[in-house]
Amino acid sequence: MRLKHLSVIVVAGILLACTGTPKETTRPAEAQPHSFGIYLVAFTADKPWGPATLGELATLPLAKEPVLSAADILSYGFARHRMFVKREALPHLPQPSVWGAPFVVMADGQRVYLGAFGTMLSSSSTAVPTILVDFREFTNSLTIDRAYPAPGFAAGPDPRSDHRIRMALAGLKKLK
């Protein structure tokens, strides 16, 4: 009888040892988090420049950190390309020369388009999307205009409406 009880205990112990604690089930890979950033081009803008003089978008040298990131953006209105940013982000914007300060918009790690920070004091036109920084002390609203000084100075299709930007901003819950 003792042998029978001992056998039952041994078998029960083996079964418990085999099952052990449940193994962690493999989860499907998490989706990559969305990202958005505006990076300054590592370039001295003390002379006229343009997309042709800077080179290919894919090879432009960029600053290591974005001048504006998704964490800085409170909301982005896609229809007018107006974003509301945290006040503490505004001092990080460059003080561009009359030629502007080139930047690259990145969405989900991809370079989407070339743009420029500009000033209304400039008489130089810009064919790329432009963010005027003149009123940053008074408002936390920034608009990415089609070109400077007017949309007619732009060339080609409007890159601001690229689907990658919309997807990244929607994933970040920044679109309004």
Side-chain angles (χ1 to χ4, degrees), residues 36-38 40 65-75 83-95 117 131-133 135-142 174:
F36 178 86
I38 298 177
L40 287 172
E65 297 295 323
V67 69
L68 281 175
S69 71
D72 299 318
I73 298 170
L74 299 170
S75 66
M83 60 185 135
F84 289 90
V85 299
K86 294 178 181 174
R87 285 219 172 264
E88 53 269 17
L90 295 171
H92 300 286
L93 299 177
Q95 186 60 48
F117 287 103
I131 299 172
L132 297 177
V133 297
F135 300 109
R136 64 181 159 190
E137 292 87 23
F138 307 110
T139 180
N140 65 332
S141 168
L142 298 170
K174 302 290 182 175

Side-chain angles (χ1 to χ4, degrees), residues 9-23:
I9 293 172
V10 170
V11 170
I14 292 172
L15 287 174
L16 284 174
C18 289
T19 57
T21 56
K23 289 184 180 177

Side-chain angles (χ1 to χ4, degrees), residues 39-43 54 56-64 102 104 111:
Y39 290 79
L40 287 172
V41 175
F43 169 78
L54 288 178
E56 294 295 317
L57 182 65
T59 60
L60 291 176
L62 302 180
K64 290 182 182 183
V104 170
R111 295 174 185 221

